[in-house]
Amino acid sequence: MRDNLGLSCGIIGLPNVGKSMAFNALARAGASVSDYPFCTIEPNVGVVTVPDERLKGLGAIVGSEDITPTTIKFLDIAGLIKGASKGEGLGNQFLSHVREVEAMVHVVRCFQDGRVSHIEPDINPERDIEMVNLELALADLELVERRLEKVEKLARSGEHVRVLQAKVKEERGLLTKIKSWLGEGKPVRSLSMNAAESHSIKGLGLLTSKPVIYLANVGEDMLCTPGHPYLRKVMEVAAREGAGVMTVPAKLEAEMAELGEEEAEEFRREMGISQVGLTKLIQACYSLLGLITFYTVVEGKVRAWTVVRGTKAPEVAGKVHSDMKTGFIRAEVIPFEDLNEQGSLAVAREKGLVRTEGKNYAVLDGDVIYFHFQI
């Protein structure tokens, strides 16, 4: 069996915007929280379970208590400052840690508190976002320029056949377009590209191409004011980039994380908070990255797995075990909703609700799958 870690998210932002507090609230990991820059040097890491009522239901249906949920890894990364792309502050460490994650949770300060210092004299979410994005864009720009230099040399070389020269010319055109976009301080994720272009730049590992969710860290006084100017600015930036956005009172969530489950639930009701911040964030991440969950039941063990929507059955099987991908024959599939309605796999089979799917089947969210394969 393989590790069924869903994805890794880096929590980024300027110093003292509440990153570590948000991390504590979301991952319940007790990271150090202090009022000075670079309190977090090496990333704090928290692996959290993805809430999943279907998984519990599946365990009950098959009569198993051996249940393994999928998880998300959160990294609380050191605060970024102006000049990070040139190594200022902890710039080099910051950028290297961001490269390791699949998505970014960008914490933006949207609260007033004179006891918590800020690197700027006032609270301005749009400016703060632009400061971080500019440093990421400058780091990407340097990388793209280096790659462009290599491509230019290939383009000038007479040693390549015509087909290869055409590919080099195509790459040069795309890199030039990206360079111009980054030069304006804009993230690559907001640049219009076709599927082939998006695929071709994956190997570059561009920071600004990573999906991002802007997490507006608000005070208690803003819980009932969704139209607050700070929040509007964050939403406007997210809309321009096609990014996700959510609101979390990090300090309040961190305090609730220290309470017992019943106490925390009662406190949420009193404060009018409908969902735990972690649950909201996981839902936002899944939506942003196009992720789905499927399930397996093998030798009485029930497990949840995370894959990208549209992934074909052999690739999905390979997530469970490499032998299942190479020796894939077919998959028996039933949606959890159908299985839950029937109450047992035997009844579902009798009613013809278990389908047989081949190599071209794109797995759907909630599928319960049994893979047939040969070694």
Side-chain angles (χ1 to χ4, degrees), residues 46-340:
V47 178
V48 300
T49 298
V50 175
D52 191 342
E53 291 301 319
R54 293 183 303 195
L55 181 63
K56 297 177 183 177
L58 183 57
I61 291 170
V62 301
S64 174
E65 295 183 359
D66 190 345
I67 297 174
T68 304
T70 188
T71 58
I72 288 184
K73 181 169 70 174
F74 288 105
L75 284 77
D76 174 21
I77 299 172
L80 175 145
I81 63 171
K82 187 174 182 179
S85 59
K86 301 299 181 183
E88 293 292 332
L90 297 174
N92 293 329
Q93 294 98 316
F94 174 91
L95 297 174
S96 67
H97 295 318
V98 175
R99 295 191 195 283
E100 296 174 4
V101 300
E102 298 167 78
M104 296 181 290
V105 177
H106 185 162
V107 180
V108 185
R109 180 167 174 170
C110 293
F111 65 89
Q112 293 276 6
D113 190 337
R115 297 167 297 178
V116 181
S117 63
H118 193 40
I119 62 173
E120 296 292 334
D122 62 336
I123 305 302
N124 185 328
E126 185 174 22
R127 176 205 60 212
D128 291 356
I129 290 172
E130 289 176 351
M131 287 176 65
V132 173
N133 284 349
L134 178 59
E135 293 302 323
L136 297 179
L138 290 173
D140 280 352
L141 183 60
E142 183 178 345
L143 191 154
V144 168
E145 287 175 339
R146 289 201 303 267
R147 176 59 188 169
L148 194 54
E149 287 178 8
K150 294 180 180 179
V151 172
E152 293 284 5
K153 290 180 181 178
L154 289 175
R156 291 193 296 268
S157 173
E159 301 176 1
H160 300 277
V161 297
R162 186 175 300 174
V163 175
L164 182 56
Q165 283 286 26
K167 290 184 177 179
V168 169
K169 183 177 180 181
E170 187 177 303
E171 183 179 0
R172 180 176 60 181
L174 177 58
L175 289 171
T176 301
K177 180 169 72 171
I178 293 174
K179 177 183 176 181
S180 176
W181 193 257
L182 289 169
E184 297 177 16
K186 298 176 181 178
V188 172
R189 61 180 166 271
S190 65
L191 175 61
S192 178
M193 290 185 286
N194 58 40
E197 289 175 330
S198 297
H199 180 75
S200 69
I201 67 167
K202 281 188 176 180
L204 291 176
L206 299 177
L207 302 173
T208 64
S209 68
K210 295 178 183 290
V212 64
I213 292 174
Y214 289 109
L215 192 155
N217 184 10
V218 302
E220 293 180 34
D221 58 322
M222 291 172 61
L223 288 176
C224 299
T225 54
H228 193 283
Y230 290 168
L231 295 180
R232 286 206 307 269
K233 286 298 182 182
V234 177
M235 291 178 180
E236 287 170 5
V237 173
R240 290 198 297 268
E241 297 181 10
V245 61
M246 63 177 287
T247 302
V248 169
K251 183 178 180 182
L252 195 60
E253 288 276 1
E255 291 172 353
M256 286 190 291
E258 297 178 358
L259 300 176
E261 191 171 330
E262 292 184 4
E263 289 180 290
E265 184 59 35
E266 182 179 350
F267 190 53
R268 287 190 193 92
R269 285 198 299 269
E270 292 176 357
M271 297 299 297
I273 301 173
S274 59
Q275 284 182 302
V276 181
L278 173 62
T279 302
K280 291 168 60 180
L281 181 59
I282 288 174
Q283 291 172 346
C285 287
Y286 267 54
S287 176
L288 184 69
L289 297 174
L291 300 176
I292 62 171
T293 301
F294 74 96
Y295 307 94
T296 60
V297 181
V298 180
E299 297 179 348
K301 297 179 180 180
V302 181
R303 295 181 68 127
W305 306 85
T306 300
V307 293
V308 176
R309 187 181 303 278
T311 304
K312 298 297 178 65
E315 294 294 327
V316 169
K319 186 171 179 67
V320 179
H321 198 289
S322 57
D323 288 344
M324 290 186 177
K325 177 182 177 181
T326 55
F328 179 88
I329 300 174
R330 66 184 183 277
E332 289 187 301
V333 182
I334 180 171
F336 169 78
E337 288 74 14
D338 289 349
L339 179 57
N340 188 48

